[in-house]
Amino acid sequence: MTDKFIFRFVAAVTVFVIAVVILLNRHLIPGPETPPAFTPYLPLLNAFLNGTCSILLLVSLYNIRKGNVTTHKRLNILTFCLSSIFLVSYIVFHYLMRKDTMYGDVDGDGILSANEATAAGGLRTLYLSILIPHIILAAGVLPLILLSFYRGLQMQVEKHKKLVRWAFPIWLFVTISGVVVYLMISPYYHF
């Protein structure tokens, strides 16, 4: 495969994933009237997958610094697979859920009243200050992950290292902040 093909493939996958997520978040793709019984468990699964990926990324870094290339590669393949499962689960959840969850919306009516906003206070601002970069960086890191994963599998070490300098810290931030976002928003889920 040529670099040109890989870049086009990565660009196509990235655009497709971002478009699907935007369409789902805008509710332009209608989900079922009644979500299946397993739907409320998907956010917890996603947080678990993100947390596991965070740990695996750190262990992978440790192993490559110790020169354990084989272990590093295996951990990254596992992390990539778990992140792929996360992405599918995230998309399925947003397809199945027709109602958005808003931080501070205690009664679950989809409207943040003045009393609810006051009660949420600075924690809502903190939540949004974590959520917004999480969303932006999650979209931005996808092509970096795909390219660095490809370069690593092809043992193109120098190109892999250049990409990972950016991909690793962003991916780690996205996985950790994903868990934090879940912990902060979970009290406001009304399934």
Side-chain angles (χ1 to χ4, degrees), residues 6-7 12-13 15 17 20 26-27 51 53 55 65 87 91 103 105 110 116 122 129 150 161 174 177:
I6 294 300
F7 286 128
V13 168
V15 167
V17 168
V20 167
R26 301 277 179 183
H27 302 289
C53 288
I55 293 165
R65 288 198 171 157
L87 184 57
I91 287 172
Y103 190 90
D105 183 15
E116 289 172 327
S129 70
Y150 171 75
K161 281 183 180 179
V174 167
S177 62

Side-chain angles (χ1 to χ4, degrees), residues 57-128:
L57 286 170
L58 292 170
V59 174
S60 174
L61 175 65
Y62 172 81
N63 275 279
I64 199 60
R65 288 198 171 157
K66 293 292 184 183
N68 302 328
V69 175
T70 302
T71 303
H72 169 76
K73 195 173 192 176
R74 288 178 180 159
L75 287 168
N76 283 336
I77 290 170
L78 177 58
T79 306
F80 184 83
C81 290
L82 291 177
S83 286
S84 299
I85 293 168
F86 161 83
L87 184 57
V88 170
S89 175
Y90 178 87
I91 287 172
V92 167
F93 176 74
H94 285 280
Y95 168 72
L96 295 173
M97 287 307 300
R98 299 174 68 107
K99 189 170 110 176
D100 291 329
T101 301
M102 194 179 314
Y103 190 90
D105 183 15
V106 176
D107 59 13
D109 64 357
I111 300 167
L112 190 66
S113 70
N115 288 342
E116 289 172 327
T118 301
L123 285 178
R124 179 172 167 76
T125 304
L126 176 64
Y127 170 77
L128 292 172

Side-chain angles (χ1 to χ4, degrees), residues 4-20 142-143 146:
K4 190 174 185 179
F5 172 80
I6 294 300
F7 286 128
R8 285 182 178 170
F9 177 76
V10 166
V13 168
T14 302
V15 167
F16 175 76
V17 168
I18 291 171
V20 167
L142 180 57
L146 294 172

Side-chain angles (χ1 to χ4, degrees), residues 14 18 134-143 174:
T14 302
I18 291 171
H134 169 80
I135 292 169
I136 292 167
L137 292 173
V141 78
L142 180 57
V174 167

